Amino acid sequence: MEHEKLNIMNNQHETIGTAARSDIHAEGLWHETFHFWLLKKEDDTVFLYFQLRSPSKKDFPSLFDITAAGHLLADEQPSDGIREVEEELGLSISFENLTFAGVIKDEIHMPSFTDREFCHVYLYMDQKEHMDVHLQKEEVAGLYRARLMDAQQLLSRECEKMNIEGFEVDADGKRREEKREVHVHDFVPHEPAYYEHLFQAINQFLSQ
């Protein structure tokens, strides 16, 4: 995976070359990713879903993150990113049924690497009464949801904590229902500007 070739972008989102994924992160080069955010409405309440990253992940283990996401390889288009939804969540969803929320620039600076992404962000409102989710245990340890209003306030730093509900899958594949109280530090540290753009897009999507 670290040897996969990704496009290198300049600050204006123009392709200027290719490099191995490991080099892109080590050198802090701009590249492209696919982000999928799952929403569900029950009665008058909208929920936003977060994946719990596997404890075995190299980066940000056991933190909450985008419902499903992945890197776009050098020869791929954003539509190819839909594979991440199937691989990580086991959900078969057509790319044509997603709502484009824009390309959001996001930077995460860590002691060991710098992640600079042009994120192709998509929204999906699930209409089924029950979702048949099957997690890719190497990548995802659980799936949780929060009330959209609570998630927006927490990730915009307007409150200190929120309650979430969902499930986790243990090493033996056993599913365990959970409710948790979480704080901002329990989430992958995407930039506040990323979430500002995301929630603006979600609220516009819901008002249509």
Side-chain angles (χ1 to χ4, degrees):
M1 183 178 292
E2 292 297 315
H3 300 293
E4 294 172 338
K5 290 290 187 180
L6 309 182
N7 284 327
I8 304 169
M9 321 298 290
N10 63 18
N11 197 42
Q12 285 73 48
H13 197 191
E14 299 166 333
T15 303
I16 57 174
T18 61
R21 177 172 171 171
S22 58
D23 294 336
I24 278 181
H25 284 163
E27 299 176 29
L29 303 173
W30 287 100
H31 56 288
E32 294 184 298
T33 55
F34 170 87
H35 289 188
F36 168 87
W37 285 99
L38 177 65
L39 298 141
K40 192 173 182 66
K41 187 173 184 179
E42 294 182 2
D43 298 323
D44 293 326
T45 302
V46 178
F47 294 92
L48 182 63
Y49 283 76
F50 297 89
Q51 69 162 255
L52 177 64
R53 293 169 67 87
S54 167
S56 62
K57 291 282 288 183
K58 177 185 175 185
D59 302 321
F60 310 114
S62 300
L63 292 185
F64 291 98
D65 202 4
I66 301 144
T67 323
H71 289 81
L72 293 176
L73 304 182
D75 59 349
E76 290 186 321
Q77 302 298 317
S79 57
D80 294 305
I82 194 68
R83 69 170 183 278
E84 302 292 343
V85 181
E86 177 101 38
E87 291 175 0
E88 295 185 359
L89 307 178
L91 295 176
S92 296
I93 297 172
S94 171
F95 180 76
E96 287 69 31
N97 291 330
L98 305 186
T99 297
F100 182 52
V103 177
I104 307 176
K105 293 174 70 172
D106 189 30
E107 295 187 59
I108 300 178
H109 298 272
M110 302 296 290
S112 58
F113 72 95
T114 298
D115 191 14
R116 290 190 172 98
E117 300 183 4
F118 284 101
C119 314
H120 296 259
V121 181
Y122 293 85
L123 311 176
Y124 179 75
M125 179 68 76
D126 185 83
Q127 305 288 352
K128 300 187 182 74
E129 185 175 351
H130 299 289
M131 288 187 294
D132 189 19
V133 176
H134 300 279
L135 303 182
Q136 183 183 19
K137 65 179 182 179
E138 298 83 7
E139 300 282 336
V140 187
L143 186 67
Y144 283 79
R145 70 180 191 177
R147 293 195 312 164
L148 176 63
M149 184 183 303
D150 294 344
Q152 183 167 352
Q153 289 180 341
L154 180 76
L155 298 171
S156 300
R157 308 320 198 256
E158 295 174 10
C159 69
E160 294 183 357
K161 59 188 177 182
M162 71 174 177
N163 294 316
I164 59 175
E165 61 183 15
F167 70 91
E168 296 182 28
V169 177
D170 62 23
D172 298 323
K174 187 176 180 180
R175 180 167 164 162
R176 182 179 70 253
E177 302 295 323
E178 293 282 355
K179 291 185 178 180
R180 296 174 58 168
E181 182 181 88
V182 292
H183 302 74
V184 169
H185 63 253
D186 294 313
F187 291 78
V188 172
H190 297 287
E191 287 188 309
Y194 172 91
Y195 285 119
E196 181 180 355
H197 186 137
L198 172 68
F199 287 116
Q200 285 178 353
I202 290 175
N203 291 323
Q204 182 177 2
F205 167 64
L206 294 174
S207 67
Q208 294 175 352

